[in-house]
Structure formats: structure tokens, C-alpha cells
Amino acid sequence: DVSQKVWHNYGFDRHVLENVMLENGKTVKLAGFHGDTMHMARLFDTSRRAGAAAAATGEDGEDSAGGTSYSLESLSTDRNIFSHYDAENDLEVVGRTGNEGAEDREKARELLSAAFAKRRSMKEIFSKKKVKKDGTEGKTSVMPEMEELQTSEETKDLWVAYSGTDAKATWMLYRALRCNLRSVCARVDKALYPSEEGRDDSSRRTLWNVYRDFLRPFGELLTDLESVG
């Protein structure tokens, strides 16, 4: 049974993780792709900046310029996206399926607060000035290797905090976007959804159905193609 996982910019993360060589000589193979909040956001709102943001966005999907782009920072701090999402009554958001209680609501509030928190970009936190041949610092900034960030005494605690904050923001963004996609009706070709017992219910689909049934598998297919060049 493979655990399902939600990502933001799955293509980048999969590329990074599957190119890591383990000590036994093997590489990581990801499984259990459940969703990509970047793709979900594009389906829900195609008007956010894409072209302009691309110039300021790194391969990891971070947008140093902020604004209404598809970066995790921009999406997770956009209160319009969360305006119809009731986190306190969404027990699944805190991993509970029983009766809601004060403790569950408090956890939901904490997660929502973490999503809205202003975050520093990965480059802002970890980049270093490139050292010139004479030993002095240059003007160009470079990113250390991932292994160094995760194991160095200087950066590993910062890496854990950065990763944890982004994981919380991605999870809350997924819940809010799923709520939004479910609220928008979508009329799709009848051939894509054969009617049950002769009943035509194609008009009762939502954008969540479209994402779940078509864009989600297509999102994994795209990264499969990228992985083999």
C-alpha cells in the first residue's frame, strides 16, 4: 500500500529526488502521486501571472518577486483562495476522522496560520556568495548542494524548519484548492463520463472531477516523460 503524497511543483521535486544516489548505489523512485497544488491552482485560476513570474521564478517554483504567481509563497498567502475553506471543521486536515473538538480546531488554526506566514525563499536562506580565487567574496550567489544543506551543522536545522513550513503550507493549500475546485461546476464531454443506468449526469461534474480524473494522471505522465528525456 503506497502512501499518497501532495506536492507543489512535482516535476522539480521528482527530478531532484530521483537523481539522488543512495549509499547502496540505488536511486530513489517516487510513488503515490496524489496531487500537485501548482497544477490545481492553474486549473482554478488561469489569470495569475505566469510569463512575468517565470523570469523571477527559480526551477523550484519559488517566486522572488512575490505577487499573484503560481509559486507556493504567493498561493499559500492568498486569502482569496482560502476564503471559502473552513479549516476548523475539516478534521482530515489534522489527520483525525472522529468528532471534532477544541484540540482539533486549534491544530487546524495553527496549520492555517503557518500557511499564511510570510516565508523567506530557499535562495534567500541558503545561498552564499561565490568565493573568488583570491579568497574574497564575489557578487554572485550560489546554492550549496542538497546533501550539504541537509547534513551540514550550519544549515541542517534551518533546512528542517524550511521543509516543515513548506510541507504545512502545501497541505493547507491542497485542502483549500480542492474545496474551491469542488465548488465550480464543469460540463464535460459525455463520452468521458458514461452515464450510469442510462442517466446523463455529465452536467453534475466539478473542476475537482476534471483534475482528479484527467489532470492528475496527466501530471504524472509529464514527469515520466521528463525522467526519460
Side-chain angles (χ1 to χ4, degrees):
D1 182 25
V2 177
S3 298
Q4 300 299 294
K5 306 165 191 69
V6 176
W7 308 76
H8 185 81
N9 199 0
Y10 175 60
F12 175 78
D13 289 336
R14 181 177 178 182
H15 172 76
V16 171
L17 291 171
E18 292 195 350
N19 279 278
V20 173
M21 184 66 70
L22 303 178
E23 291 183 356
N24 59 8
K26 297 182 178 180
T27 56
V28 175
K29 292 299 179 184
L30 300 184
F33 174 64
H34 187 68
D36 187 330
T37 48
M38 182 181 288
H39 296 168
M40 293 170 68
R42 287 184 182 275
L43 177 62
F44 179 66
D45 181 3
T46 60
S47 68
R48 302 179 77 91
R49 293 187 309 125
T57 303
E59 290 181 333
D60 55 2
E62 292 182 347
D63 181 6
S64 58
T68 55
S69 70
Y70 293 100
S71 70
L72 179 59
E73 177 184 4
S74 176
L75 290 166
S76 64
T77 55
D78 188 338
R79 292 186 179 272
N80 290 326
I81 291 177
F82 289 84
S83 60
H84 300 294
Y85 172 57
D86 185 3
E88 291 189 24
N89 290 314
D90 183 1
L91 293 184
E92 191 177 335
V93 79
V94 291
R96 295 283 295 279
T97 56
N99 295 325
E100 67 177 83
E103 184 178 347
D104 294 322
R105 290 195 294 272
E106 181 59 30
K107 287 180 180 179
R109 282 193 290 270
E110 289 176 2
L111 285 170
L112 197 59
S113 177
F116 285 140
K118 180 66 177 177
R119 294 188 302 285
R120 297 165 64 197
S121 71
M122 184 175 176
K123 293 176 182 177
E124 185 181 357
I125 298 173
F126 298 110
S127 64
K128 299 179 179 180
K129 294 295 183 181
K130 188 174 182 179
V131 179
K132 296 190 289 188
K133 292 182 178 179
D134 62 5
T136 60
E137 287 188 348
K139 295 181 179 180
T140 305
S141 295
V142 294
M143 282 290 296
E145 294 294 328
M146 287 293 174
E147 184 176 354
E148 179 184 342
L149 291 178
Q150 296 170 12
T151 59
S152 168
E153 289 296 329
E154 181 183 353
T155 59
K156 67 179 183 180
D157 289 342
L158 284 173
W159 176 261
V160 170
Y162 169 82
S163 301
T165 300
D166 271 16
K168 290 178 182 179
T170 301
W171 177 236
M172 296 304 289
L173 179 60
Y174 164 75
R175 307 294 298 182
L177 284 171
R178 189 177 73 167
C179 176
N180 289 336
L181 292 173
R182 282 175 167 172
S183 71
V184 181
C185 292
R187 182 175 292 277
V188 297
D189 192 310
K190 295 179 181 179
L192 298 176
Y193 286 109
S195 59
E196 299 176 3
E197 299 179 355
R199 182 184 62 194
D200 177 17
D201 60 354
S202 59
S203 62
R204 295 191 289 116
R205 304 293 174 177
T206 68
L207 285 183
W208 172 247
N209 294 116
V210 174
Y211 176 76
R212 183 195 62 192
D213 299 333
F214 303 109
L215 293 188
R216 183 164 65 191
F218 183 61
E220 184 150 38
L221 174 61
L222 284 177
T223 62
D224 287 341
L225 293 173
E226 291 170 354
S227 66
V228 296

